[in-house]
Amino acid sequence: MKEQDRWDENTYHVIQSRLKAPGMPTFFSPQELALLKAALHRLLDEEDQAIIARVAGQIDEHLTEKRGQGYRKVGVPKEEVLFRSGLAWLDATALQRYEQSFLQLTPQEKDEILGQVQRGEIAWTEIGPKDFFNKLLNTAVDFFFSQPEIWSEIGYGGPAYPRGYYRIEYGLKDPWEARLKPELVEERAKAGMGPGPVRRVDR
Amino acid sequence: MNHETGLPWRNLNEEVDVVIVGAGATGPVVAQELGRAGLSVVLFEAGPYWEVSRDFVSDELHMRKTAWRFHRLTAGSDAPELGHNISGSGVGGGTNHFTAVVPRFFPSDFRTKTIDGVGEDWPITYEDLAPYYEQLEKEIPVSGPKHYPWGGFHGPYPYPAREPVAATHQVLRIGCEKLGIQSSVAPLAILSAPFQGRPPCINRGFCAQGCLPNSKFSTLIHHIPRALDAGVELRHGSMVHRILVNKDDRVEGVAFLFQGKEYRQRAKAVVVCASAIETPRLLLLSADGRHPQGLANRSGMVGKCFMVHSGHEVVARFSEEILPYKGTPILTTTQDFYESPGDGSRARGFSIHAHGSRPLAFMKIVTKATGAWGRHLREMARDYNYFARLTIVGEVLPQMNNTITLSDEKDEVGLPSPVVTFSYGDNDRKVIEAAVAMCKQVLEAAGGRVELISPDTSHMLGGCRMGSNPTDSVVDGWGRCHDHKNLFLADTSVFVTSGASNPTLTAMALAWRTADYIVQEFRAGNL
């Protein structure tokens, strides 16, 4: 993000508009939007409510404008139906099991239901739980990993036009690219998050 | 502007020489050649007319708008994903977002029945296409190695190879070297040096999102301006939905939809360049009382033998940063396993490309391969920069039960949606298995640990195959429909077999050859 002054104007505007706080939902009802946000919070393991709200708002916009993906499998409902019906079933499942809305459940309880939905261990009518889960997860991932803060977090260099990349081979970085702190690398490795115990590349 | 109708078209009330349907990879090539030969040509495109500096940005999500978005259905035990990487919309079509990998097909691709006992032989040979490959490589132009190790053409390519290659592509090179496998810089329609005002590539990496510097070839920036200069009339935003045919089975023109209203354009000949889904669909949509099975379909072969390429992704983690977003998506390749191995374990083979990744493409593989969400998803994402990916282009054999048909459901403009039915055959699965195993070996030899394997497909081929026998094919070796002497097909729908190479250059070479034939037929007074 700190490099945004170097982006071309059109890219800059597209990314800037993605950072705007969402307005009122037009596809989802307020209740549906609350359920969507609760599910996104767990699926994306993201505590920042502002980012979750943006992702939810952008999914709402996507469904309102029927941008779609242009195809679906025979027998799988349209994505508008999957989202609306799936969120209702998610809440119904929570009510049935815990006599509480999905919104009121503990994170563990939410994750348990989501896991069963992913594995198709729950019987719903009209839509398949797995179809709903896959649509929800894939859509969530698309919009979440299009947020510039997340690019910074994963070390994605971001849009590089008109500047481009010139030092592209192993071990090389362009002068403006972020350098890793060696301590951080070690810390991540210890926490099992960093690069695994693999051999160095012999080049 | 047409002064009689107030509509933005010149030739609406006249009978033009040729109507071309589709301005993707092949339509503009045909348009350029026919226009230069002095024929009057109208080129139709259902999608918008993209303007690079106005419409293209460096963003994966935003640029999905260049995909075909009209509604389609998929079916079969391996129903393919028809997303952004498969079909384009708008002038330039898929060339706006392809990775620009342009190898030629191998000579053996045209004779798999004779050589390997599978598929069918094409009615033409590699030698028939070779001059067109050569012309295209010069014209686009193609950057590639001085010596290309495989197939019927060993270089040198007109422009120097794209060197150096990024770390994500060095991985393939290092792995192959360790295993004693040949690898090469891929032949790319991406500039390594300036060409006619276009600059060389800056490794921005967004080839699949539309090239902003115009270093990557597309028909939008190359053939379209030349076709317009040659007097071709382009009608974008116009969806051709019916080919009109008279009592003598001569095609008379097309009907098309523009802003919800139907118009007609008369023509002496029609060339359909609309893709392996939309070309058979248009022939089926054109059914009438005399052709209840659709046009060009006496054989019953329209929509049959549809193929994709298997495109499995194999991703490994490395201990050093790979930075997979740097460099054009594909820079290195091996075609060492392209043809049938001697041991009889399977017929035909695969190519392996090193493939860079922007975040959405990478995360899609993560979720598909692992189903990860929550903490696990974020941990994988945090290590994004340590992963390198190989992608296969696996040959898929033609099968009668892989089809394009029409659904009862309607798309956004009210036309029956196409249904794409696809299942792999036994041999296709053996090719995938061998290819994935080889990707793993290469990645491990380069020092990586394979963590993700995700199924995928790429490219759409077949559905209106060529052949010399009118009872089991749709077009002859020139792309001319057996049933209608002035109807031609010129796109990947005419492919007889899939090969294991990215198909764009072959489709363009076939289209150019068909264009030359059409010009010849006009000059001989046959059209």
Side-chain angles (χ1 to χ4, degrees), chain B residues 249-268:
Chain B
D249 275 343
R250 256 187 87 84
V251 166
E252 295 186 309
V254 296
F256 65 100
L257 298 167
F258 177 75
Q259 296 179 347
K261 276 183 74 178
E262 184 182 310
Y263 301 89
R264 290 181 172 216
Q265 175 66 54
R266 288 178 299 131
K268 295 194 183 85

Side-chain angles (χ1 to χ4, degrees), chain B residues 146-157:
Chain B
K146 269 198 174 144
H147 177 76
Y148 194 67
W150 310 281
F153 175 68
H154 298 293
Y157 278 95

Side-chain angles (χ1 to χ4, degrees), chain B residues 135-436:
Chain B
Q135 281 175 194
L136 274 164
E137 284 158 356
K138 280 192 190 133
E139 193 191 283
I140 299 175
V142 176
S143 309
K146 269 198 174 144
H147 177 76
Y148 194 67
W150 310 281
F153 175 68
H154 298 293
Y157 278 95
Y159 265 47
R162 293 278 317 288
E163 287 272 16
V165 301
T168 187
H169 310 110
Q170 283 178 283
V171 164
L172 180 131
R173 184 178 274 174
I174 292 164
C176 284
E177 217 169 273
K178 291 253 168 79
L179 297 173
I181 297 165
Q182 302 178 92
S183 72
S184 171
V185 182
L188 294 167
I190 300 173
L191 296 176
S192 53
F195 170 76
Q196 294 186 358
R198 289 166 48 203
C201 178
I202 57 170
N203 285 308
R204 163 178 164 264
F206 282 86
C207 301
Q209 282 70 39
C211 182
L212 266 168
N214 286 336
S215 307
K216 188 187 86 169
F217 150 84
S218 69
T219 56
L220 172 67
I221 63 163
H222 185 92
H223 292 98
I224 287 290
R226 286 156 181 79
L228 296 179
D229 282 350
V232 169
E233 184 186 336
L234 173 64
R235 284 183 209 163
H236 55 280
S238 300
M239 173 86 173
V240 173
H241 64 104
R242 174 175 283 275
I243 298 166
L244 307 167
V245 62
N246 71 12
K247 288 199 294 285
D248 306 323
D249 275 343
R250 256 187 87 84
V251 166
E252 295 186 309
V254 296
F256 65 100
L257 298 167
F258 177 75
Q259 296 179 347
K261 276 183 74 178
E262 184 182 310
Y263 301 89
R264 290 181 172 216
Q265 175 66 54
R266 288 178 299 131
K268 295 194 183 85
V270 172
V271 189
V272 188
C273 303
S275 87
I277 295 178
E278 294 304 317
T279 292
R281 180 194 187 201
L282 178 58
L283 296 174
L284 297 173
L285 285 173
S286 303
D288 60 22
R290 296 182 56 249
H291 308 90
Q293 290 196 92
L295 295 190
N297 199 17
R298 267 178 216 155
S299 60
M301 286 301 292
V302 169
K304 300 269 169 63
C305 294
F306 173 81
M307 298 168 282
V308 295
H309 282 135
S310 51
H312 280 52
E313 317 268 11
V314 185
V315 179
R317 185 195 292 264
F318 285 79
S319 57
E320 294 188 346
E321 282 188 303
I322 299 289
L323 308 177
Y325 52 87
K326 292 168 83 166
T328 42
I330 295 175
L331 275 166
T332 54
T333 186
T334 177
Q335 297 199 302
D336 252 16
F337 309 98
Y338 197 94
E339 290 162 316
S340 303
D343 61 8
S345 58
R346 59 177 158 82
R348 310 302 296 165
F350 53 88
S351 302
I352 298 176
H353 300 317
H355 204 312
S357 309
R358 270 122 291 282
L360 297 196
F362 174 72
M363 294 313 295
K364 188 177 169 203
I365 296 169
V366 170
T367 50
K368 255 212 279 187
T370 65
W373 53 276
R375 174 134 189 261
H376 184 193
L377 181 80
R378 294 297 289 275
E379 284 173 4
M380 292 296 287
R382 273 180 213 124
D383 292 345
Y384 162 73
N385 274 334
Y386 294 87
F387 287 95
R389 150 161 82 137
L390 300 183
T391 304
I392 71 167
V393 178
E395 176 148 359
V396 160
L397 296 174
Q399 290 187 76
M400 291 295 274
N401 56 351
N402 287 334
T403 58
I404 306 298
T405 51
L406 298 180
S407 157
D408 298 333
E409 278 190 49
K410 299 276 170 38
D411 72 4
E412 287 78 352
V413 287
L415 300 170
S417 292
V419 186
V420 179
T421 305
F422 182 81
S423 309
Y424 286 123
D426 287 345
N427 193 74
D428 304 337
R429 290 183 201 286
K430 286 178 189 163
V431 169
I432 292 168
E433 205 181 310
V436 168

Side-chain angles (χ1 to χ4, degrees), chain A residues 1-202:
Chain A
M1 270 309 273
K2 69 179 169 56
E3 298 292 335
Q4 58 181 292
D5 295 347
R6 306 292 193 98
W7 300 346
D8 66 277
E9 206 171 318
N10 291 344
T11 300
Y12 177 83
H13 288 307
V14 165
I15 311 301
Q16 274 301 320
S17 70
R18 197 168 286 156
L19 289 165
K20 273 194 213 129
M24 290 293 285
T26 47
F27 176 82
F28 292 117
S29 69
Q31 169 73 5
E32 287 167 341
L33 192 76
L35 286 164
L36 175 64
K37 286 199 252 184
L40 292 174
H41 168 234
R42 299 311 305 155
L43 289 178
L44 299 168
D45 190 29
E46 177 55 60
E47 297 301 328
D48 186 335
Q49 281 308 307
I51 294 185
I52 291 293
R54 264 160 36 201
V55 171
Q58 284 155 27
I59 294 174
D60 182 81
E61 202 179 291
H62 171 85
L63 293 168
T64 302
E65 290 176 10
K66 290 185 186 292
R67 281 188 222 140
Q69 58 180 41
Y71 68 95
R72 65 178 213 278
K73 236 167 147 167
V74 168
V76 176
K78 290 184 176 162
E79 65 179 355
E80 296 95 87
V81 177
L82 276 180
F83 266 101
R84 206 182 293 286
S85 177
L87 291 171
W89 272 113
L90 202 59
D91 210 26
T93 305
L95 285 167
Q96 198 180 35
R97 197 157 303 173
Y98 298 101
E99 294 179 343
Q100 284 190 85
S101 165
F102 187 78
L103 300 171
Q104 266 86 55
L105 303 186
T106 66
Q108 290 72 20
E109 290 166 342
K110 284 178 187 156
D111 287 0
E112 202 170 303
I113 290 182
L114 286 168
Q116 289 178 346
V117 173
Q118 178 176 35
R119 296 186 295 272
E121 293 166 0
I122 292 179
W124 291 353
T125 52
E126 189 193 9
I127 62 163
K130 277 185 178 178
D131 291 332
F132 164 68
F133 187 90
N134 289 336
K135 173 61 70 182
L136 176 65
L137 178 61
N138 289 329
T139 311
V141 163
D142 277 348
F143 285 91
F144 183 67
F145 288 96
S146 294
Q147 304 296 323
E149 297 98 321
I150 307 308
W151 294 343
S152 300
E153 180 186 304
I154 68 176
Y156 167 53
Y161 181 76
R163 177 164 46 186
Y165 295 107
Y166 288 89
R167 308 186 72 211
I168 59 176
E169 295 174 273
Y170 259 130
L172 301 184
K173 281 192 171 175
D174 283 305
W176 50 274
E177 285 189 277
R179 299 298 194 273
L180 284 178
K181 288 190 192 116
E183 319 87 75
L184 183 71
V185 176
E186 204 160 307
E187 199 178 299
R188 281 158 52 105
K190 270 188 203 147
M193 285 158 51
V198 290
R199 284 168 291 148
R200 269 184 71 87
V201 176
D202 175 18

